[in-house]
Amino acid sequence: MSTPNASWPPSHPAFFLLVGIPGLEREQGWIAIPLCLMYITAALGNGTVLYLIKTEASLHQPMYLFLAMLATTDLVLSTSTVPKMLSVFWLGSRAISFHACLAQMFFIHAFSSVESGVLMAMALDRYVAICFPLRHSAILSLSVVGKLGGLILLRGVVLISPFSFLASRLPYCHRRYIAHSYCEHMAVVKLVCGNARVNTVYGLFVAFVVVGFDVAIIAASYALILRAVLKLPSNEARLKAFGTCASHICVILSFYIPALFTFLTHRFGHNFPHHVHIMVAILYLLVPPTLNPIVYGVKTKTIRDRVLAMFLILGRERRHLRHN
């Protein structure tokens, strides 16, 4: 017997309306300014990292190839959300078609999974580099790095694809307003007027499988790294090893802390201010792409030197043009 609210085929509106930041609609125009600056920084920073790794043969090593994967993932994550978000904040263009919303939802969650997987792979790379330095190139050959990256991407696509499929088969009873700045899975599911338990359970399953597995591998890798570093004979060697891992730990924390906050408040923080939750969710997609190229650019001498050389060349060309 069918439920009174359900219909088959399932009904859904032709488009949704993104509210933006509920409770801060008047301030959204000003909030968009730093978000736009962060997006520009992320695009330029990650684009520069990709260009340097592609053109510099000495950077064709596992650590830098994983960094290129991270930069690509950050570009996809930020570009799939920020332009539409800025159009909502500045232009009031809140409408997003149903299928475009599902596509955005797929890219957000799939590439969040990919980013988590790449961070896990980078932790494994640091573990092999510090604990087995003589076998590093043999264990993590270029072919192994490529296969690992392919598996991480495949995992994200396979696990996240059901989100869009399940959401497309639910009845929405012409509910249109998404109380968010982008099409996040739980924000979309809250508009359903039928039984969305399968979506909720599957979302929890994916979160625990992906994050649980990746965090466990990262924690184990750094526990073994810490044990190996403490056995090093000199303070200089220990400080060098810690410095190598410090930037990666900063990147990990900038990704997982907002992600954990967003996950918990979506499901359990019902009394938490909604605008704070939305702001953290926005920063979750913007802070890592903005921070990652800065952190790795500062900590990695090869990248830092190449960036400085690029600025010097540009400065010389500008002076040459002025004199001519």
Side-chain angles (χ1 to χ4, degrees), residues 204-244:
L204 290 170
F205 166 75
V206 170
F208 282 116
V209 166
V210 172
V211 177
F213 178 79
D214 293 349
V215 169
I217 297 297
I218 291 170
S221 297
Y222 276 99
L224 294 171
I225 288 171
L226 180 62
R227 188 177 69 175
V229 167
L230 293 176
K231 291 181 180 179
L232 293 175
S234 67
N235 288 330
E236 184 180 353
R238 285 194 289 269
L239 288 174
K240 184 178 179 181
F242 278 126
T244 302

XYZ file of all heavy atoms in Angstrom, residues 204-244:
309
model
N 25.399 8.014 6.051
C 26.183 7.681 7.241
C 27.179 6.567 6.940
O 28.337 6.612 7.384
C 25.257 7.271 8.382
C 24.406 8.375 9.000
C 23.359 7.784 9.936
C 25.288 9.365 9.767
N 26.748 5.573 6.175
C 27.618 4.452 5.814
C 28.844 4.942 5.044
O 29.982 4.585 5.364
C 26.835 3.433 4.982
C 27.698 2.417 4.290
C 28.273 1.373 4.995
C 27.945 2.522 2.923
C 29.077 0.436 4.355
C 28.746 1.594 2.270
C 29.311 0.554 2.986
N 28.608 5.784 4.032
C 29.720 6.295 3.214
C 30.662 7.144 4.066
O 31.890 7.029 3.954
C 29.185 7.107 2.020
C 30.319 7.835 1.304
C 28.458 6.198 1.043
N 30.103 8.000 4.914
C 30.940 8.863 5.754
C 31.846 8.040 6.657
O 33.053 8.317 6.772
C 30.058 9.794 6.590
N 31.285 7.018 7.299
C 32.081 6.202 8.214
C 33.093 5.335 7.459
O 34.225 5.149 7.920
C 31.174 5.324 9.075
C 30.529 6.056 10.210
C 29.153 6.200 10.270
C 31.287 6.625 11.220
C 28.554 6.892 11.303
C 30.698 7.311 12.267
C 29.322 7.445 12.310
N 32.711 4.823 6.290
C 33.637 3.984 5.521
C 34.816 4.806 5.013
O 35.982 4.440 5.195
C 32.903 3.304 4.340
C 33.902 2.712 3.356
C 31.988 2.207 4.857
N 34.511 5.938 4.366
C 35.577 6.758 3.764
C 36.437 7.413 4.840
O 37.649 7.206 4.896
C 34.975 7.826 2.825
C 36.057 8.788 2.354
C 34.310 7.163 1.631
N 35.791 8.211 5.697
C 36.556 8.956 6.698
C 37.174 8.003 7.720
O 38.341 8.176 8.111
C 35.670 10.007 7.388
C 36.448 10.735 8.479
C 35.144 11.009 6.364
N 36.415 7.004 8.155
C 36.940 6.059 9.134
C 38.180 5.341 8.635
O 39.192 5.248 9.336
N 38.121 4.840 7.402
C 39.264 4.120 6.830
C 40.452 5.056 6.650
O 41.580 4.739 7.044
C 38.868 3.495 5.494
C 39.991 2.776 4.798
C 40.370 1.509 5.197
C 40.673 3.379 3.749
C 41.412 0.840 4.562
C 41.715 2.733 3.106
C 42.083 1.454 3.515
N 40.216 6.236 6.042
C 41.316 7.151 5.742
C 41.971 7.680 7.014
O 43.207 7.741 7.108
C 40.811 8.315 4.893
C 40.387 7.869 3.502
O 40.673 6.714 3.138
O 39.756 8.678 2.785
N 41.157 8.080 8.000
C 41.712 8.604 9.244
C 42.493 7.516 9.984
O 43.550 7.797 10.578
C 40.594 9.187 10.132
C 41.105 9.484 11.534
C 40.033 10.456 9.510
N 42.005 6.276 9.938
C 42.722 5.177 10.593
C 44.105 4.972 9.957
O 45.107 4.801 10.664
C 41.907 3.888 10.510
N 44.168 5.009 8.615
C 45.448 4.855 7.923
C 46.372 6.032 8.217
O 47.578 5.856 8.461
C 45.228 4.721 6.404
C 44.421 3.453 6.082
C 46.558 4.700 5.666
C 45.113 2.164 6.458
N 45.818 7.254 8.211
C 46.629 8.443 8.507
C 47.180 8.373 9.928
O 48.372 8.635 10.164
C 45.797 9.724 8.307
C 45.491 9.932 6.817
C 46.525 10.941 8.867
C 44.484 11.031 6.546
N 46.320 8.019 10.896
C 46.754 7.947 12.292
C 47.824 6.874 12.472
O 48.830 7.094 13.163
C 45.548 7.664 13.188
N 47.627 5.707 11.854
C 48.616 4.634 11.964
C 49.938 5.042 11.327
O 51.022 4.777 11.878
C 48.079 3.364 11.303
N 49.868 5.716 10.175
C 51.088 6.152 9.485
C 51.894 7.109 10.349
O 53.115 6.961 10.506
C 50.727 6.824 8.153
O 50.093 5.918 7.275
N 51.205 8.082 10.949
C 51.935 9.068 11.740
C 52.372 8.519 13.088
O 53.370 8.992 13.658
C 51.109 10.342 11.886
C 51.288 11.230 10.682
C 50.351 11.253 9.658
C 52.429 12.009 10.538
C 50.536 12.039 8.529
C 52.623 12.803 9.417
C 51.670 12.806 8.414
O 51.870 13.568 7.291
N 51.674 7.529 13.611
C 52.153 6.861 14.825
C 53.466 6.130 14.546
O 54.419 6.200 15.340
C 51.092 5.888 15.331
N 53.534 5.440 13.406
C 54.771 4.749 13.025
C 55.883 5.735 12.678
O 57.056 5.499 12.979
C 54.493 3.823 11.839
C 53.550 2.644 12.125
C 53.172 1.924 10.831
C 54.190 1.673 13.106
N 55.497 6.859 12.035
C 56.490 7.899 11.724
C 57.069 8.468 13.018
O 58.291 8.644 13.147
C 55.848 9.019 10.884
C 55.575 8.527 9.455
C 56.737 10.249 10.854
C 54.749 9.482 8.623
N 56.197 8.758 13.994
C 56.648 9.318 15.263
C 57.608 8.353 15.967
O 58.650 8.776 16.486
C 55.447 9.608 16.165
C 55.754 10.194 17.549
C 56.444 11.551 17.421
C 54.468 10.327 18.367
N 57.260 7.072 15.955
C 58.139 6.081 16.589
C 59.498 6.025 15.897
O 60.538 5.950 16.561
C 57.479 4.701 16.549
C 58.236 3.648 17.348
C 57.520 2.326 17.344
N 57.535 1.709 16.018
C 57.062 0.488 15.751
N 56.503 -0.230 16.725
N 57.119 -0.007 14.531
N 59.489 6.084 14.554
C 60.758 6.036 13.813
C 61.577 7.303 14.026
O 62.806 7.249 14.168
C 60.469 5.836 12.320
N 60.907 8.463 14.074
C 61.620 9.733 14.232
C 62.289 9.816 15.597
O 63.424 10.304 15.726
C 60.650 10.918 14.026
C 61.274 12.230 14.482
C 60.245 11.015 12.563
N 61.591 9.354 16.627
C 62.160 9.412 17.982
C 63.390 8.523 18.135
O 64.182 8.718 19.063
C 61.097 9.020 19.012
C 59.926 10.008 19.158
C 58.891 9.479 20.128
C 60.426 11.382 19.598
N 63.562 7.566 17.230
C 64.735 6.684 17.274
C 65.922 7.253 16.506
O 67.011 6.668 16.541
C 64.366 5.318 16.706
C 63.399 4.520 17.568
C 63.097 3.164 16.946
C 62.133 2.368 17.810
N 61.815 1.045 17.205
N 65.727 8.362 15.794
C 66.831 8.956 15.036
C 67.917 9.446 15.994
O 67.620 9.956 17.081
C 66.330 10.109 14.172
C 65.385 9.714 13.025
C 64.854 10.954 12.320
C 66.102 8.811 12.018
N 69.190 9.311 15.601
C 70.279 9.593 16.542
C 70.481 11.068 16.874
O 70.905 11.396 17.986
C 71.515 9.038 15.810
C 71.140 9.062 14.353
C 69.668 8.804 14.314
N 70.217 11.978 15.958
C 70.527 13.389 16.196
C 69.265 14.243 16.254
O 68.254 13.924 15.632
C 71.451 13.920 15.097
O 70.764 13.948 13.860
N 69.344 15.347 16.984
C 68.225 16.290 17.058
C 67.949 16.923 15.703
O 66.789 17.191 15.361
C 68.524 17.383 18.085
C 68.459 16.881 19.507
O 67.706 15.953 19.792
N 69.241 17.486 20.388
N 68.998 17.181 14.929
C 68.833 17.791 13.617
C 68.024 16.898 12.685
O 67.133 17.373 11.965
C 70.206 18.081 13.001
C 70.125 18.805 11.661
C 71.498 19.084 11.082
O 72.510 18.841 11.786
O 71.570 19.537 9.921
N 68.311 15.596 12.730
C 67.566 14.651 11.889
C 66.117 14.570 12.324
O 65.209 14.498 11.482
C 68.223 13.274 11.954
N 65.888 14.599 13.646
C 64.512 14.545 14.144
C 63.736 15.795 13.729
O 62.585 15.702 13.306
C 64.506 14.383 15.666
C 64.875 12.980 16.132
C 64.511 12.785 17.595
N 65.391 13.554 18.457
C 66.523 13.100 18.988
N 66.918 11.863 18.708
N 67.260 13.847 19.779
N 64.372 16.969 13.867
C 63.696 18.215 13.491
C 63.397 18.251 11.995
O 62.334 18.735 11.577
C 64.561 19.411 13.879
C 64.663 19.706 15.385
C 65.664 20.825 15.646
C 63.298 20.067 15.948
N 64.296 17.746 11.174
C 64.081 17.715 9.730
C 62.902 16.817 9.377
O 62.051 17.161 8.539
C 65.340 17.238 9.020
C 65.223 17.278 7.501
C 66.527 16.847 6.843
C 66.389 16.879 5.329
N 67.655 16.440 4.656
N 62.822 15.648 10.045
C 61.718 14.731 9.792
C 60.390 15.322 10.242
O 59.376 15.231 9.539
C 61.977 13.399 10.510
N 60.385 15.969 11.422
C 59.159 16.609 11.897
C 58.734 17.739 10.960
O 57.546 17.921 10.679
C 59.358 17.161 13.314
C 59.200 16.137 14.394
C 60.197 15.947 15.340
C 58.056 15.354 14.476
C 60.059 15.001 16.345
C 57.900 14.407 15.469
C 58.912 14.228 16.408
N 59.705 18.503 10.468
C 59.395 19.599 9.544
C 58.796 19.100 8.250
O 57.912 19.745 7.665
N 59.252 17.934 7.796
C 58.715 17.348 6.570
C 57.237 17.008 6.718
O 56.446 17.154 5.776
C 59.504 16.070 6.207
O 60.884 16.404 6.065
C 58.993 15.464 4.903
